[in-house]
Amino acid sequence: MIDFVLQKRLYGGGLNFLGKRPDLIICDDVENGQRIQSKKYREDIYKQFESAVLKLPARKGDYSVLVVGTTLHEECLLLRLENRYNAKSYNFPLVLDFGPKIDGLSPANIDGYDLDSVLLDDSSLDKKEVLMEFLQNKSAFFAEFQNTPTHSKDAILGDFATYENLPEKIDAVFMGIDPALGKDKGDFFAIACVFFCKAQMRYFASVRAYKEKPDKMIGIVLETYSHAHKICPFIKVGIEVVAFQAFFKDQLKKRALELGLSFFRPIELKNTAHKEMRIDSLAPLLADRSLVIEQFSHELVSELETYPKGAHDDCLDALEFAMRLARTRQMVDYRQIKARVKTRFGKPKKGFRL
């Protein structure tokens, strides 16, 4: 590792050493992992790098400064150097592809996961062991092995809690759908299910992200709806309708009717406010724990921890759609209906159900 103090002594802050200046400088793990959380420390490191290291090489000939290390923070030296006009950046993540169905993966179902869909930089490693490390501590995994640090405390939506299992009694389900064009595009097709528990006055969000063609996503959406219907009979569905998405909604509704899902009637959601304002509105609900996140909604958790600097926000969009429906909910109290039926018609006959 380059010692900045030693460099200053050897080169006198830029003077030559034995009549020569270096044409190759290699810096390895410059930053301290324990101190990287300090903004002053990060600024000091960058200033020292500019003043002590970048002033060392000869300017008349070719020279190279190679900086190697782990990206420990979003404002670490390596990521700041990416933006320099004369720098080239190379990233070597351990996991090149987690597979198309990483959302929902947990230690309980990992044995059934398609490990062949996982692509590692080093094929000799045990894929299951790597995925278990990912599930154990995702923030550390992304920082150490993927070179994509996440610091949720610094993120707008980073203050959130997670859950593993839903409460026994769910009183309503709100589905938000954010369609995308499919594999060839960069966006995810996201489906958010928000489960409302009246006893706890809390929302439990589970979000899945896909990169599939719209025609295949129709089946996935309806399967998600059917699964949610088994948990609670009251389901409200909202879908964004912009450009092709309106056509997708019509095809989705048509397919639902063909399958006998006559109560599947998605509500068109048109966005009048800026996306940032809509997504930012989730922050108070997350902070006061009115809204909690399923711990195995991996893409959503990643977006929460990196927003607004993350590469994607599709899961956040779908979650905001679902919560928009929840805020304007009209729920059916099935117990109250049953009580009224008894009062009006007497005790229900055998075989009568509500």
Side-chain angles (χ1 to χ4, degrees), residues 111-171:
D111 288 331
Y113 193 70
D114 180 16
L115 294 178
D116 291 336
S117 66
V118 179
L119 182 61
L120 301 182
D121 183 54
D122 184 350
S123 59
S124 66
L125 297 178
D126 187 317
K127 294 181 179 180
K128 180 178 177 180
E129 184 178 345
V130 170
L131 290 180
M132 286 298 292
E133 286 198 43
F134 163 74
L135 294 172
Q136 186 69 30
N137 189 329
K138 283 182 281 189
S139 294
F141 186 90
F142 277 111
E144 292 293 333
F145 297 116
Q146 299 299 99
N147 272 327
T148 52
T150 59
H151 290 274
S152 58
K153 292 181 180 179
D154 298 332
I156 295 174
L157 305 178
D159 184 10
F160 64 91
T162 61
Y163 73 92
E164 185 171 353
N165 298 307
L166 288 172
E168 292 185 7
K169 180 73 167 64
I170 295 297
D171 299 278

Coordinates of all heavy atoms in Angstrom, one line a residue, residues 111-171:
D111 N -32.1 -25.2 -1.6 CA -31.8 -26.5 -2.2 C -32.6 -26.7 -3.5 O -32.2 -27.5 -4.3 CB -32.1 -27.6 -1.2 CG -31.1 -27.7 -0.1 OD1 -29.9 -27.3 -0.3 OD2 -31.4 -28.1 1.0
G112 N -33.7 -25.9 -3.6 CA -34.5 -26.0 -4.8 C -34.2 -25.0 -5.9 O -34.8 -24.9 -6.9
Y113 N -33.2 -24.2 -5.6 CA -32.8 -23.1 -6.5 C -32.0 -23.6 -7.7 O -31.2 -24.5 -7.5 CB -32.0 -22.0 -5.8 CG -31.9 -20.7 -6.6 CD1 -33.0 -19.9 -6.8 CD2 -30.7 -20.3 -7.1 CE1 -32.9 -18.7 -7.5 CE2 -30.5 -19.2 -7.8 CZ -31.6 -18.4 -8.0 OH -31.5 -17.2 -8.7
D114 N -32.2 -23.1 -8.9 CA -31.5 -23.5 -10.1 C -30.1 -22.9 -10.1 O -29.9 -21.8 -10.6 CB -32.3 -23.0 -11.3 CG -31.6 -23.4 -12.6 OD1 -30.7 -24.3 -12.6 OD2 -32.0 -22.9 -13.7
L115 N -29.2 -23.6 -9.5 CA -27.8 -23.2 -9.4 C -27.1 -23.0 -10.8 O -26.2 -22.3 -11.0 CB -27.0 -24.1 -8.6 CG -27.4 -24.2 -7.1 CD1 -26.5 -25.2 -6.3 CD2 -27.3 -22.8 -6.4
D116 N -27.7 -23.7 -11.8 CA -27.1 -23.6 -13.2 C -27.3 -22.2 -13.7 O -26.6 -21.8 -14.6 CB -27.7 -24.6 -14.1 CG -27.3 -26.1 -13.8 OD1 -26.3 -26.2 -13.1 OD2 -28.1 -27.0 -14.1
S117 N -28.3 -21.5 -13.2 CA -28.6 -20.1 -13.7 C -27.6 -19.1 -13.1 O -27.6 -17.9 -13.5 CB -30.0 -19.7 -13.4 OG -30.3 -19.6 -12.0
V118 N -26.9 -19.5 -12.0 CA -25.9 -18.6 -11.4 C -24.6 -18.7 -12.1 O -24.0 -19.7 -12.3 CB -25.8 -19.0 -9.9 CG1 -24.8 -18.1 -9.2 CG2 -27.1 -19.0 -9.2
L119 N -24.1 -17.5 -12.4 CA -22.8 -17.4 -13.1 C -21.8 -16.6 -12.2 O -22.0 -15.5 -11.9 CB -23.0 -16.6 -14.4 CG -21.8 -16.5 -15.3 CD1 -21.2 -17.9 -15.8 CD2 -22.1 -15.7 -16.6
L120 N -20.7 -17.3 -11.9 CA -19.6 -16.8 -11.1 C -18.4 -16.4 -11.9 O -18.1 -17.0 -12.9 CB -19.2 -17.8 -10.0 CG -20.3 -18.2 -9.0 CD1 -19.7 -19.2 -8.0 CD2 -21.0 -17.1 -8.3
D121 N -17.7 -15.4 -11.4 CA -16.4 -15.0 -12.0 C -15.4 -16.2 -11.9 O -14.5 -16.4 -12.8 CB -15.9 -13.8 -11.4 CG -14.6 -13.3 -12.0 OD1 -14.6 -13.1 -13.3 OD2 -13.6 -13.1 -11.3
D122 N -15.5 -16.9 -10.8 CA -14.6 -18.1 -10.6 C -15.5 -19.3 -10.6 O -16.1 -19.6 -9.6 CB -13.8 -17.9 -9.3 CG -12.8 -19.0 -9.1 OD1 -12.8 -20.0 -9.8 OD2 -12.0 -18.9 -8.1
S123 N -15.5 -20.1 -11.6 CA -16.4 -21.2 -11.7 C -16.0 -22.4 -10.8 O -16.8 -23.3 -10.6 CB -16.4 -21.8 -13.2 OG -15.1 -22.1 -13.6
S124 N -14.9 -22.3 -10.2 CA -14.4 -23.4 -9.3 C -15.1 -23.3 -7.9 O -15.0 -24.2 -7.1 CB -12.9 -23.4 -9.1 OG -12.5 -22.2 -8.5
L125 N -15.7 -22.1 -7.6 CA -16.3 -21.9 -6.3 C -17.6 -22.6 -6.1 O -18.3 -22.9 -7.1 CB -16.5 -20.4 -6.0 CG -15.2 -19.6 -6.0 CD1 -15.5 -18.1 -5.8 CD2 -14.2 -20.1 -4.9
D126 N -18.0 -22.9 -4.9 CA -19.3 -23.5 -4.6 C -20.4 -22.5 -4.7 O -20.4 -21.6 -3.9 CB -19.2 -24.2 -3.2 CG -20.4 -25.0 -2.9 OD1 -21.6 -24.6 -3.2 OD2 -20.3 -26.1 -2.3
K127 N -21.3 -22.6 -5.6 CA -22.3 -21.6 -5.9 C -23.3 -21.5 -4.7 O -23.7 -20.4 -4.3 CB -23.1 -22.0 -7.1 CG -22.3 -21.9 -8.4 CD -23.2 -22.2 -9.6 CE -22.4 -22.1 -10.9 NZ -23.2 -22.4 -12.1
K128 N -23.6 -22.7 -4.1 CA -24.5 -22.6 -2.9 C -23.9 -21.9 -1.8 O -24.6 -21.1 -1.1 CB -24.9 -24.1 -2.5 CG -25.8 -24.1 -1.3 CD -26.2 -25.6 -1.0 CE -27.1 -25.6 0.3 NZ -27.5 -27.0 0.6
E129 N -22.6 -22.1 -1.5 CA -21.9 -21.4 -0.4 C -21.9 -19.9 -0.7 O -22.1 -19.1 0.2 CB -20.5 -22.0 -0.3 CG -19.8 -21.4 0.9 CD -18.4 -22.0 1.0 OE1 -18.1 -23.0 0.4 OE2 -17.6 -21.4 1.8
V130 N -21.7 -19.5 -2.0 CA -21.7 -18.1 -2.3 C -23.0 -17.5 -2.1 O -23.1 -16.4 -1.5 CB -21.2 -17.9 -3.8 CG1 -21.4 -16.5 -4.2 CG2 -19.8 -18.3 -4.0
L131 N -24.1 -18.2 -2.5 CA -25.5 -17.6 -2.2 C -25.8 -17.6 -0.8 O -26.5 -16.6 -0.3 CB -26.5 -18.5 -3.0 CG -26.5 -18.4 -4.5 CD1 -27.5 -19.3 -5.1 CD2 -26.7 -17.0 -5.0
M132 N -25.3 -18.5 0.0 CA -25.6 -18.5 1.5 C -24.9 -17.3 2.1 O -25.4 -16.6 3.0 CB -25.1 -19.8 2.1 CG -26.0 -21.0 1.9 SD -27.7 -20.7 2.5 CE -27.3 -20.7 4.3
E133 N -23.7 -16.9 1.6 CA -23.0 -15.7 2.1 C -23.8 -14.5 1.7 O -23.9 -13.5 2.5 CB -21.6 -15.6 1.5 CG -20.6 -16.6 2.1 CD -19.2 -16.3 1.9 OE1 -18.8 -15.1 2.0 OE2 -18.4 -17.2 1.5
F134 N -24.3 -14.5 0.5 CA -25.2 -13.4 0.1 C -26.4 -13.2 1.0 O -26.7 -12.1 1.4 CB -25.6 -13.6 -1.4 CG -26.8 -12.8 -1.8 CD1 -26.7 -11.5 -2.1 CD2 -28.0 -13.4 -2.0 CE1 -27.8 -10.7 -2.5 CE2 -29.1 -12.7 -2.4 CZ -29.0 -11.3 -2.7
L135 N -27.0 -14.3 1.4 CA -28.2 -14.2 2.2 C -27.9 -13.9 3.6 O -28.7 -13.2 4.3 CB -28.9 -15.6 2.2 CG -29.6 -16.0 0.9 CD1 -30.1 -17.4 0.9 CD2 -30.7 -15.1 0.5
Q136 N -26.7 -14.2 4.1 CA -26.3 -13.9 5.5 C -26.1 -12.5 5.7 O -26.6 -11.9 6.7 CB -24.9 -14.7 5.8 CG -24.5 -14.6 7.2 CD -25.4 -15.4 8.1 OE1 -26.0 -16.4 7.7 NE2 -25.5 -14.9 9.4
N137 N -25.4 -11.8 4.8 CA -25.2 -10.3 5.0 C -25.0 -9.7 3.6 O -23.9 -9.7 3.1 CB -24.0 -10.1 5.8 CG -23.8 -8.6 6.2 OD1 -24.2 -7.7 5.5 ND2 -23.2 -8.4 7.4
K138 N -26.1 -9.2 3.1 CA -26.1 -8.7 1.7 C -25.2 -7.4 1.6 O -24.5 -7.3 0.6 CB -27.5 -8.4 1.2 CG -28.3 -9.7 0.9 CD -29.7 -9.4 0.4 CE -30.6 -9.1 1.5 NZ -32.0 -9.0 1.1
S139 N -25.3 -6.5 2.5 CA -24.5 -5.3 2.4 C -23.0 -5.6 2.4 O -22.3 -5.0 1.5 CB -24.8 -4.4 3.6 OG -26.1 -3.9 3.6
A140 N -22.6 -6.5 3.3 CA -21.1 -6.9 3.2 C -20.8 -7.6 2.0 O -19.7 -7.4 1.4 CB -20.8 -7.8 4.5
F141 N -21.7 -8.4 1.5 CA -21.4 -9.2 0.3 C -21.3 -8.3 -0.9 O -20.3 -8.4 -1.7 CB -22.6 -10.2 0.0 CG -22.4 -11.1 -1.2 CD1 -21.8 -12.3 -1.0 CD2 -22.8 -10.7 -2.4 CE1 -21.6 -13.2 -2.0 CE2 -22.6 -11.6 -3.5 CZ -21.9 -12.8 -3.3
F142 N -22.1 -7.3 -1.1 CA -22.0 -6.4 -2.2 C -20.8 -5.5 -2.1 O -20.2 -5.2 -3.2 CB -23.3 -5.5 -2.3 CG -24.4 -6.2 -3.0 CD1 -25.6 -6.6 -2.3 CD2 -24.4 -6.5 -4.3 CE1 -26.6 -7.2 -2.9 CE2 -25.4 -7.1 -5.0 CZ -26.6 -7.5 -4.3
A143 N -20.4 -5.1 -0.9 CA -19.2 -4.3 -0.8 C -17.9 -5.1 -1.1 O -17.1 -4.7 -1.8 CB -19.2 -3.7 0.6
E144 N -17.8 -6.3 -0.5 CA -16.6 -7.1 -0.6 C -16.5 -7.9 -1.9 O -15.3 -8.0 -2.4 CB -16.5 -8.1 0.6 CG -16.4 -7.4 2.0 CD -15.0 -6.7 2.1 OE1 -14.0 -7.2 1.4 OE2 -14.9 -5.8 2.9
F145 N -17.6 -8.4 -2.4 CA -17.5 -9.3 -3.5 C -18.0 -8.7 -4.8 O -17.6 -9.1 -5.9 CB -18.2 -10.6 -3.2 CG -17.6 -11.4 -2.1 CD1 -18.4 -11.6 -1.0 CD2 -16.3 -11.9 -2.2 CE1 -17.8 -12.3 0.1 CE2 -15.8 -12.6 -1.2 CZ -16.5 -12.8 0.0
Q146 N -18.9 -7.7 -4.7 CA -19.5 -7.1 -6.0 C -19.0 -5.7 -6.3 O -19.3 -5.2 -7.3 CB -21.0 -7.1 -5.8 CG -21.7 -8.5 -5.6 CD -21.5 -9.4 -6.8 OE1 -20.6 -10.3 -6.7 NE2 -22.2 -9.2 -7.9
N147 N -18.3 -5.1 -5.3 CA -17.8 -3.8 -5.5 C -18.9 -2.8 -5.8 O -18.7 -1.8 -6.5 CB -16.7 -3.7 -6.6 CG -15.3 -4.0 -6.1 OD1 -15.0 -3.6 -5.0 ND2 -14.5 -4.6 -7.0
T148 N -20.0 -3.0 -5.1 CA -21.1 -2.1 -5.2 C -21.6 -1.8 -3.8 O -22.6 -2.5 -3.3 CB -22.3 -2.6 -6.1 OG1 -22.6 -3.9 -5.6 CG2 -21.9 -2.7 -7.5
P149 N -20.9 -1.0 -3.0 CA -21.3 -0.7 -1.6 C -22.7 -0.1 -1.5 O -23.1 0.7 -2.3 CB -20.2 0.2 -1.2 CG -19.8 0.9 -2.4 CD -19.9 -0.1 -3.5
T150 N -23.4 -0.5 -0.4 CA -24.7 0.0 -0.1 C -24.6 0.5 1.4 O -24.2 -0.3 2.2 CB -25.8 -1.0 -0.3 OG1 -25.6 -2.1 0.6 CG2 -25.9 -1.4 -1.7
H151 N -25.0 1.7 1.6 CA -25.0 2.3 3.0 C -26.3 2.8 3.2 O -26.6 4.0 2.9 CB -23.9 3.3 3.2 CG -22.5 2.7 3.1 ND1 -21.9 2.2 4.3 CD2 -21.6 2.5 2.1 CE1 -20.7 1.7 3.9 NE2 -20.5 1.9 2.6
S152 N -27.2 2.0 3.7 CA -28.6 2.3 3.9 C -28.8 3.5 4.8 O -29.8 4.3 4.6 CB -29.4 1.1 4.4 OG -28.9 0.7 5.7
K153 N -27.9 3.8 5.7 CA -28.1 4.9 6.6 C -28.0 6.2 5.9 O -28.6 7.2 6.3 CB -27.1 4.9 7.7 CG -27.3 3.7 8.7 CD -26.2 3.7 9.8 CE -26.4 2.6 10.8 NZ -25.4 2.5 11.8
D154 N -27.3 6.2 4.8 CA -27.1 7.5 4.0 C -28.2 7.6 2.9 O -28.4 8.7 2.3 CB -25.8 7.5 3.3 CG -24.6 7.4 4.3 OD1 -24.8 7.9 5.4 OD2 -23.5 6.9 4.0
A155 N -29.0 6.6 2.7 CA -30.0 6.6 1.6 C -31.3 7.2 2.2 O -31.6 7.0 3.3 CB -30.2 5.2 1.1
I156 N -32.1 7.8 1.3 CA -33.3 8.5 1.7 C -34.3 7.4 2.2 O -35.0 7.7 3.2 CB -33.9 9.2 0.4 CG1 -33.0 10.3 0.0 CG2 -35.3 9.7 0.8 CD1 -33.5 11.0 -1.3
L157 N -34.3 6.2 1.6 CA -35.2 5.2 2.1 C -34.5 4.1 2.8 O -35.0 3.0 3.0 CB -35.9 4.6 0.9 CG -36.7 5.6 -0.1 CD1 -37.3 4.8 -1.2 CD2 -37.8 6.3 0.7
G158 N -33.3 4.4 3.4 CA -32.5 3.4 4.0 C -32.9 3.0 5.4 O -32.5 2.0 5.9
D159 N -33.8 3.8 6.0 CA -34.2 3.4 7.4 C -35.5 2.6 7.3 O -36.6 3.1 7.2 CB -34.5 4.7 8.1 CG -34.9 4.4 9.6 OD1 -34.7 3.3 10.0 OD2 -35.3 5.4 10.3
F160 N -35.3 1.3 7.2 CA -36.5 0.4 7.1 C -36.2 -0.9 7.9 O -35.1 -1.2 8.3 CB -36.8 0.0 5.6 CG -35.7 -0.7 5.0 CD1 -35.6 -2.1 5.0 CD2 -34.6 0.0 4.3 CE1 -34.6 -2.8 4.3 CE2 -33.6 -0.7 3.7 CZ -33.6 -2.1 3.7
A161 N -37.3 -1.6 8.2 CA -37.3 -2.9 8.9 C -37.8 -4.0 8.0 O -38.5 -3.7 7.1 CB -38.1 -2.8 10.2
T162 N -37.3 -5.2 8.3 CA -37.7 -6.3 7.5 C -38.5 -7.4 8.3 O -38.4 -7.4 9.5 CB -36.5 -7.0 6.8 OG1 -35.6 -7.5 7.9 CG2 -35.7 -6.1 6.0
Y163 N -39.2 -8.2 7.6 CA -39.9 -9.3 8.2 C -39.7 -10.6 7.4 O -39.3 -10.6 6.3 CB -41.4 -9.0 8.3 CG -42.1 -9.2 7.0 CD1 -42.7 -10.4 6.6 CD2 -42.2 -8.1 6.1 CE1 -43.4 -10.5 5.3 CE2 -42.8 -8.2 4.8 CZ -43.4 -9.4 4.5 OH -44.0 -9.6 3.3
E164 N -39.9 -11.7 8.1 CA -39.7 -13.0 7.4 C -41.0 -13.7 7.1 O -41.2 -14.3 6.0 CB -38.8 -13.9 8.3 CG -38.5 -15.2 7.6 CD -37.4 -16.0 8.3 OE1 -36.9 -15.5 9.3 OE2 -37.1 -17.2 8.0
N165 N -42.0 -13.7 8.1 CA -43.3 -14.3 7.9 C -44.4 -13.3 8.1 O -44.3 -12.4 8.9 CB -43.4 -15.5 8.9 CG -42.3 -16.5 8.7 OD1 -42.2 -17.1 7.6 ND2 -41.6 -16.9 9.7
L166 N -45.5 -13.5 7.3 CA -46.7 -12.7 7.5 C -47.4 -13.0 8.7 O -47.3 -14.1 9.2 CB -47.6 -12.9 6.3 CG -47.2 -12.3 4.9 CD1 -48.1 -12.8 3.8 CD2 -47.1 -10.8 5.0
P167 N -48.2 -12.0 9.3 CA -49.1 -12.3 10.4 C -50.1 -13.3 10.0 O -50.4 -13.5 8.8 CB -49.7 -11.0 10.7 CG -48.8 -10.0 10.1 CD -48.2 -10.6 8.9
E168 N -50.7 -14.0 11.0 CA -51.7 -15.0 10.6 C -53.0 -14.4 10.0 O -53.6 -15.0 9.1 CB -52.1 -15.8 11.9 CG -51.1 -16.6 12.5 CD -51.5 -17.4 13.7 OE1 -52.8 -17.4 14.0 OE2 -50.7 -18.1 14.3
K169 N -53.4 -13.2 10.4 CA -54.6 -12.6 9.9 C -54.2 -11.4 9.0 O -53.6 -10.4 9.5 CB -55.4 -12.1 11.1 CG -56.7 -11.4 10.7 CD -57.8 -12.4 10.2 CE -59.2 -11.7 10.1 NZ -59.2 -10.7 9.1
I170 N -54.5 -11.5 7.8 CA -54.4 -10.4 6.8 C -55.7 -9.9 6.4 O -56.6 -10.7 6.0 CB -53.6 -10.9 5.6 CG1 -52.1 -11.3 6.0 CG2 -53.5 -9.8 4.5 CD1 -51.3 -10.1 6.5
D171 N -56.0 -8.6 6.4 CA -57.3 -8.0 6.2 C -57.4 -7.5 4.7 O -58.6 -7.3 4.3 CB -57.6 -6.9 7.2 CG -57.6 -7.5 8.6 OD1 -58.6 -8.0 9.0 OD2 -56.6 -7.3 9.3

